[in-house]
Amino acid sequence: MRVLVIGGGAREHAICKAVCDSGGELYSVMKNLNPGIKRLAKDYFIHNETDAEKVLEYALKKKIELAIIGPEAPEEAGVTNVLEENGIKVASPSKEAAEIETSKEFMRNLMEKYKIKGSVKCRVFSDAEMAKEFIEMLDGEVAVKPIGLTGGKGVKVAGDHFNSIEEAVKYAKEVIEKKIGGHSKVLIEEKVVGEEFTLQAFCDGNAIYPMPAVQDHKRLLPGDKGPNTGGMGSYSHKSGILPFMTPDDYEEAATILQKIVEALKKEGRQYKGVIYGQFMLTANGVKVIEINARFGDPEAMNVLPLLKTNYLEICMAMVEGNLSNKKISFENKSTVCKYVVPEGYGIKPVAGKEIKVNEEKIRENGGLLFYASVNEENGKIYTTTSRSLAIVGIAEEIEEAEKICEKCLQFVEGEHIFIRHDIGKKELIEKRIKHMEMLRG
Ligand code: AMP
Ligand code: GLY
């Protein structure tokens, strides 16, 4: 099957690998040349991924039978819609269905309208004075969020990014005035406390098939300090749930995703593709932080390498609406993924610095390597301002997977790189278990 993958990050490298491992002939549209995808692909087109007409032109020329979209921006730009209108199957949501991610206002309204459990107190404002009243009502314990896409970097939370009602109001005003996230509006949410986890699921418009849960680390610095980033690394456990969760928590999250998919269908926005829930496990159950219309990055790299079922068959089942008839399984293994990012990432990144990657040694030591945003020139790899590459270790237990990951990271050298080494380490995981025990009393 001739398959087009849109996007050129590490998540898309993992998707491309899954496509090739499933017997697909790979084509790619990406905005910068990912060295890993380049090697896997039969052909590629370096172009803006949100240019629906050009993506269509390329897909028609290459006689693409199935397209998979990695990032949210091309979905928002209607790439799915344009390809489908021209007879190309797409295993990703339409622009309308993807609004579950691209408008946080839409997501919260949908949850309210259909009385789906797991929402938080929240309101949208286009007037900073009115936002102030709500922030005061919540005693400043709020998250201040742009409505639209900001690449995971637009949200500010009390205690993490500001420490007073004044600062919260100031940022809310800035979001409205500067139209951060594309709208003159701001979403104010009650701050919820707990442990975050990601649940991704395959979806065919009706049924979902949830994958192993993953915990991402959005904060830049060890110990969950510093600004929010696109994600610094992630882990999963062979049980399919995380060490601080119970099977009931997992079920609760899966039920919320199922209800959202049903609500979208009722709204005439049938959802096909991978759906992603970012949840906070709190003393009062599972709360929705955000819903994404795609695989997570890094979370795709935790789950896709464990997939035992043919990935393209799952994609076709999502497209054709018969996921319930499909037997899907994952290897019962634990995974740890750590990103290598340029020094200063998330603040003032140092781009254009060489990274030496010994691919052979990484392979020999059992690690997986996924390239993200780097440039390759004359066989050398250089950083950009975004995340550079990710290493994944897989083993029975998280501890061993973490050791494999660290061992392989030794074969990525550069004077101007940064890694959050605490991800997947025993100390951090124990801290999370204790945190949850404390909250649950
Ligand atoms: P988002 O882009 O919505 O995922 O937000 C980025 C990060 O901000 C999340 O991963 C959470 O750590 C934090 N966050 C977002 N909303 C809330 C909330 N209502 N309460 C507490 N933390 C939040
Ligand atoms: N890992 C966060 C995201 O993909 O949005």
Side-chain angles (χ1 to χ4, degrees):
M1 188 190 286
R2 299 161 76 91
V3 183
L4 176 64
V5 174
I6 296 154
R11 163 185 52 206
E12 287 77 22
H13 186 180
I15 293 173
C16 288
K17 183 173 182 295
V19 166
C20 294
D21 289 348
S22 305
E25 186 172 287
L26 178 70
Y27 295 81
S28 151
V29 176
M30 49 188 162
K31 57 177 184 283
N32 65 315
L33 185 56
N34 180 312
I37 297 177
K38 177 184 154 192
R39 260 176 267 156
L40 293 173
K42 177 98 195 280
D43 188 65
Y44 58 85
F45 174 37
I46 303 295
H47 193 75
N48 180 0
E49 297 148 12
T50 59
D51 184 348
E53 287 307 319
K54 285 282 184 219
V55 174
L56 171 67
E57 205 177 283
Y58 179 74
L60 290 173
K61 195 167 90 191
K62 295 296 168 190
K63 302 192 169 59
I64 295 303
E65 294 159 276
L66 172 75
I68 301 165
I69 303 178
E72 58 279 17
E75 292 176 349
E76 186 180 44
V79 171
T80 303
N81 304 49
V82 171
L83 293 176
E84 281 182 344
E85 280 155 21
N86 287 275
I88 297 168
K89 295 187 169 80
V90 188
S92 299
S94 66
K95 180 185 166 80
E96 294 73 25
E99 226 179 309
I100 198 71
E101 165 166 11
T102 61
S103 169
K104 286 184 167 39
E105 183 176 18
F106 172 75
M107 184 272 279
R108 290 296 181 200
N109 285 342
L110 188 86
M111 288 192 73
E112 198 181 308
K113 180 171 172 189
Y114 289 89
K115 302 201 166 30
I116 299 170
K117 253 181 76 181
S119 205
V120 298
K121 279 184 213 136
C122 61
R123 272 180 69 187
V124 173
F125 299 94
S126 47
D127 179 294
E129 273 310 305
M130 289 175 77
K132 182 168 177 241
E133 270 176 44
F134 191 64
I135 292 169
E136 281 170 350
M137 205 181 93
L138 293 172
D139 224 8
E141 289 300 306
V142 294
V144 180
K145 304 185 170 189
I147 304 292
L149 300 179
T150 56
K153 295 161 195 118
V155 172
K156 293 201 177 174
V157 183
D160 291 344
H161 309 98
F162 54 81
N163 286 301
S164 67
I165 291 178
E166 292 69 39
E167 285 172 90
V169 174
K170 188 168 166 240
Y171 183 56
K173 196 160 180 254
E174 190 183 330
V175 171
I176 295 171
E177 284 174 0
K178 293 192 181 152
K179 290 196 182 179
I180 299 176
H183 305 265
S184 278
K185 286 184 188 175
V186 68
L187 171 64
I188 308 293
E189 288 180 1
E190 138 199 32
K191 176 185 172 177
V192 287
V193 179
E195 280 299 323
E196 271 183 277
F197 67 94
T198 301
L199 185 62
Q200 305 167 99
F202 296 114
C203 176
D204 69 355
N206 295 301
I208 65 163
Y209 185 93
M211 305 182 219
V214 182
Q215 189 173 44
D216 182 19
H217 297 70
K218 288 212 167 150
R219 305 292 290 277
L220 177 68
L221 303 173
D224 297 322
K225 303 269 186 317
N228 274 331
T229 67
M232 296 297 292
S234 47
Y235 67 88
S236 68
H237 186 249
K238 65 175 179 185
S239 60
I241 65 170
L242 296 162
F244 54 82
M245 286 169 79
T246 67
D248 284 349
D249 300 327
Y250 180 95
E251 283 309 318
E252 203 173 323
T255 304
I256 291 171
L257 287 181
Q258 177 68 47
K259 295 238 156 89
I260 288 176
V261 166
E262 286 165 14
L264 283 167
K265 189 179 175 192
K266 287 190 186 128
E267 292 290 307
R269 302 173 186 240
Q270 199 170 29
Y271 191 103
K272 293 188 175 195
V274 169
I275 187 162
Y276 166 121
Q278 181 77 37
F279 297 98
M280 186 81 81
L281 183 54
T282 74
N284 307 311
V286 170
K287 304 287 176 195
V288 173
I289 296 294
E290 65 173 355
I291 302 292
N292 291 332
R294 52 178 172 77
F295 267 119
D297 187 349
E299 294 95 325
M301 293 180 276
N302 298 92
V303 295
L304 277 172
L306 299 181
L307 187 58
K308 288 204 280 191
T309 315
N310 184 297
Y311 174 55
L312 289 177
E313 284 178 18
I314 297 175
C315 287
M316 289 311 288
M318 289 196 284
V319 171
E320 285 161 1
N322 54 17
L323 201 57
S324 333
N325 301 327
K326 186 97 204 119
K327 168 120 189 45
I328 297 175
S329 61
F330 289 88
E331 262 183 273
N332 297 327
K333 292 253 171 86
S334 302
T335 66
V336 173
C337 170
K338 300 192 197 193
Y339 252 116
V340 174
V341 303
E343 186 182 297
Y345 171 68
I347 306 164
K348 202 165 172 268
V350 184
K353 300 290 178 189
E354 193 188 347
I355 312 186
K356 289 203 174 76
V357 186
N358 190 334
E359 294 190 9
E360 209 175 293
K361 282 283 184 193
I362 293 170
R363 209 171 318 132
E364 272 173 31
N365 284 280
L368 297 175
L369 161 68
F370 297 106
Y371 282 104
S373 194
V374 289
N375 286 318
E376 195 179 15
E377 279 164 43
N378 305 320
K380 290 184 176 175
I381 304 282
Y382 296 92
T383 58
T384 67
T385 57
S386 299
R387 295 175 290 185
S388 310
L389 59 90
I391 299 284
V392 180
I394 301 178
E396 279 296 306
E397 290 300 331
I398 296 171
E399 217 174 318
E400 302 158 63
E402 198 274 336
K403 289 201 175 100
I404 294 171
C405 181
E406 280 295 334
K407 174 96 208 193
C408 293
L409 281 167
Q410 289 174 9
F411 305 109
V412 180
E413 289 175 81
E415 280 173 30
H416 300 277
I417 56 175
F418 177 75
I419 300 158
R420 244 191 90 171
H421 288 290
D422 64 335
I423 294 168
K425 285 225 159 78
K426 212 172 163 187
E427 299 75 47
L428 191 58
I429 291 176
E430 274 172 3
K431 194 176 122 190
R432 306 217 186 283
I433 297 172
K434 287 216 177 77
H435 184 210
M436 227 34 251
E437 280 172 358
M438 192 263 291
L439 289 173
R440 285 178 145 151

